[in-house]
Amino acid sequence: MTFTPLAPTIRAEPTEVAPDTFVIHSVQPAFGAPLFVHLNSMVIRGAEPMIVDTGTIANRTQWLEDAFSLVEPDDVRWVFLSHDDVDHAGNLDEVMTACPNATLVCTWAMVERHTNAFHFPLDRCRWVVDGDSLDIGDRTLQAIRPPVYDSPTTRGLYDPTTQVYWSVDTFAVPLPDAHAQIADLEAGFWGEVMAMFALGGVSPWLSAIDQVKFGAIVDRVQGLDITTIAGCHTPAIEGQFIEQAFELVRNLPTLDPPALPDQSMLEQVITASARPAD
Ligand SMILES: [Fe+2]
Ligand SMILES: [Fe+2]
């Protein structure tokens, strides 16, 4: 049976965001809006190469090609799963099958929640929770939960060697152009779409939580010595933009969640797609 993706992705070449650290991209058109969303994962090509998240089902063929153009399957020693959402775990089975020498870095909670969809090879698993470290030969990574997340299993990943932080779903933004970079976004627009994504699509409860307590969570991550933020739904964030990004996130509890598209919007989309072309 041929798989026809319901959410086709737009090609974007992998980018090197730090020495031996590559982000694998695909870009998905947003539903019902002229916006585009990154669906990223990462490869760290160190002494013991690691794949961080496993892309989406819709982009499977291209994702596997991209990942294994950066690292040979037999050389992959670690597969870090940030959480068990389908946009991060889409090719988990394929990766663990293709990479016989890889250990899956996951958690008890992931096994509990996701075991109905994936047969965890328990003897190839390493359970790493928020606050744990992981030695991968030439560097010791730190699992640090990001401030904005949509699964209780979420852990981000900080590499002190390159100062890259994998922020998972934090800093997610839809883009006006499939290939736009953070520097292309006006500051006001960046804050607006980050709030829309965080409060409308990832963590709507942020508007109900204590700002001071949340600030301490933001401080913990911002206190890492980060020079590059790589995340699943954002172009890389670097330089002056890092501080701005944290301030935008810090402000989220002060905002109200946006109104989300409802049935009338769905009917408009269906009517528009059924209309014969001119
Ligand atoms: Fe998620
Ligand atoms: Fe995500």
PDB file of all heavy atoms in Angstrom, residues 29 59 208-209 225 244 246 264-265 268:
ATOM      1  N   PRO A  29       2.757  23.297   5.411  1.00  0.00           N
ATOM      2  CA  PRO A  29       1.825  24.432   5.332  1.00  0.00           C
ATOM      3  C   PRO A  29       0.811  24.340   6.466  1.00  0.00           C
ATOM      4  O   PRO A  29       0.294  23.268   6.763  1.00  0.00           O
ATOM      5  CB  PRO A  29       1.143  24.233   3.971  1.00  0.00           C
ATOM      6  CG  PRO A  29       2.047  23.322   3.203  1.00  0.00           C
ATOM      7  CD  PRO A  29       2.725  22.448   4.210  1.00  0.00           C
ATOM      8  N   ASN A  59       6.905  12.873   6.123  1.00  0.00           N
ATOM      9  CA  ASN A  59       8.190  13.175   5.474  1.00  0.00           C
ATOM     10  C   ASN A  59       9.160  11.999   5.585  1.00  0.00           C
ATOM     11  O   ASN A  59      10.373  12.177   5.471  1.00  0.00           O
ATOM     12  CB  ASN A  59       8.805  14.423   6.133  1.00  0.00           C
ATOM     13  CG  ASN A  59       9.974  14.977   5.351  1.00  0.00           C
ATOM     14  OD1 ASN A  59       9.912  15.105   4.128  1.00  0.00           O
ATOM     15  ND2 ASN A  59      11.061  15.280   6.032  1.00  0.00           N
ATOM     16  N   ALA A 208      -2.968  30.297  32.938  1.00  0.00           N
ATOM     17  CA  ALA A 208      -3.566  30.105  34.267  1.00  0.00           C
ATOM     18  C   ALA A 208      -2.518  29.849  35.340  1.00  0.00           C
ATOM     19  O   ALA A 208      -2.867  29.594  36.482  1.00  0.00           O
ATOM     20  CB  ALA A 208      -4.545  28.925  34.212  1.00  0.00           C
ATOM     21  N   ILE A 209      -1.243  29.924  34.993  1.00  0.00           N
ATOM     22  CA  ILE A 209      -0.249  29.547  36.002  1.00  0.00           C
ATOM     23  C   ILE A 209       0.449  30.763  36.588  1.00  0.00           C
ATOM     24  O   ILE A 209       0.439  31.846  36.018  1.00  0.00           O
ATOM     25  CB  ILE A 209       0.775  28.521  35.478  1.00  0.00           C
ATOM     26  CG1 ILE A 209       1.799  29.165  34.571  1.00  0.00           C
ATOM     27  CG2 ILE A 209       0.094  27.358  34.781  1.00  0.00           C
ATOM     28  CD1 ILE A 209       2.998  28.285  34.390  1.00  0.00           C
ATOM     29  N   ASP A 225      24.334  27.979  29.415  1.00  0.00           N
ATOM     30  CA  ASP A 225      25.142  28.868  28.574  1.00  0.00           C
ATOM     31  C   ASP A 225      24.848  28.532  27.110  1.00  0.00           C
ATOM     32  O   ASP A 225      25.604  27.799  26.467  1.00  0.00           O
ATOM     33  CB  ASP A 225      26.618  28.652  28.936  1.00  0.00           C
ATOM     34  CG  ASP A 225      27.442  29.872  28.603  1.00  0.00           C
ATOM     35  OD1 ASP A 225      26.852  30.869  28.129  1.00  0.00           O
ATOM     36  OD2 ASP A 225      28.663  29.824  28.801  1.00  0.00           O
ATOM     37  N   GLN A 244      15.773  37.702  23.532  1.00  0.00           N
ATOM     38  CA  GLN A 244      14.409  38.104  23.141  1.00  0.00           C
ATOM     39  C   GLN A 244      13.453  36.920  23.212  1.00  0.00           C
ATOM     40  O   GLN A 244      12.315  37.046  23.661  1.00  0.00           O
ATOM     41  CB  GLN A 244      14.407  38.637  21.710  1.00  0.00           C
ATOM     42  CG  GLN A 244      14.984  40.026  21.542  1.00  0.00           C
ATOM     43  CD  GLN A 244      14.906  40.451  20.071  1.00  0.00           C
ATOM     44  OE1 GLN A 244      13.916  40.249  19.383  1.00  0.00           O
ATOM     45  NE2 GLN A 244      15.967  41.039  19.578  1.00  0.00           N
ATOM     46  N   PHE A 246      13.619  34.233  25.074  1.00  0.00           N
ATOM     47  CA  PHE A 246      13.290  33.892  26.461  1.00  0.00           C
ATOM     48  C   PHE A 246      12.318  34.912  27.063  1.00  0.00           C
ATOM     49  O   PHE A 246      11.430  34.548  27.836  1.00  0.00           O
ATOM     50  CB  PHE A 246      14.569  33.784  27.312  1.00  0.00           C
ATOM     51  CG  PHE A 246      15.232  32.441  27.211  1.00  0.00           C
ATOM     52  CD1 PHE A 246      16.401  32.266  26.494  1.00  0.00           C
ATOM     53  CD2 PHE A 246      14.667  31.334  27.834  1.00  0.00           C
ATOM     54  CE1 PHE A 246      17.011  31.014  26.395  1.00  0.00           C
ATOM     55  CE2 PHE A 246      15.265  30.085  27.744  1.00  0.00           C
ATOM     56  CZ  PHE A 246      16.440  29.925  27.017  1.00  0.00           C
ATOM     57  N   SER A 264     -17.289  26.609  11.903  1.00  0.00           N
ATOM     58  CA  SER A 264     -17.569  27.486  10.752  1.00  0.00           C
ATOM     59  C   SER A 264     -16.319  27.624   9.877  1.00  0.00           C
ATOM     60  O   SER A 264     -16.412  27.679   8.654  1.00  0.00           O
ATOM     61  CB  SER A 264     -18.065  28.855  11.221  1.00  0.00           C
ATOM     62  OG  SER A 264     -17.055  29.505  11.944  1.00  0.00           O
ATOM     63  N   MET A 265     -15.164  27.644  10.504  1.00  0.00           N
ATOM     64  CA  MET A 265     -13.902  27.715   9.750  1.00  0.00           C
ATOM     65  C   MET A 265     -13.706  26.418   8.947  1.00  0.00           C
ATOM     66  O   MET A 265     -13.311  26.450   7.779  1.00  0.00           O
ATOM     67  CB  MET A 265     -12.746  27.925  10.738  1.00  0.00           C
ATOM     68  CG  MET A 265     -11.419  27.367  10.328  1.00  0.00           C
ATOM     69  SD  MET A 265     -10.490  28.440   9.266  1.00  0.00           S
ATOM     70  CE  MET A 265      -8.940  27.556   9.229  1.00  0.00           C
ATOM     71  N   GLN A 268     -15.838  26.519   5.923  1.00  0.00           N
ATOM     72  CA  GLN A 268     -15.263  27.415   4.897  1.00  0.00           C
ATOM     73  C   GLN A 268     -14.160  26.711   4.121  1.00  0.00           C
ATOM     74  O   GLN A 268     -14.060  26.823   2.903  1.00  0.00           O
ATOM     75  CB  GLN A 268     -14.676  28.662   5.557  1.00  0.00           C
ATOM     76  CG  GLN A 268     -15.701  29.687   6.005  1.00  0.00           C
ATOM     77  CD  GLN A 268     -15.018  30.816   6.773  1.00  0.00           C
ATOM     78  OE1 GLN A 268     -13.902  31.237   6.438  1.00  0.00           O
ATOM     79  NE2 GLN A 268     -15.658  31.297   7.820  1.00  0.00           N
TER      80      GLN A 268
END
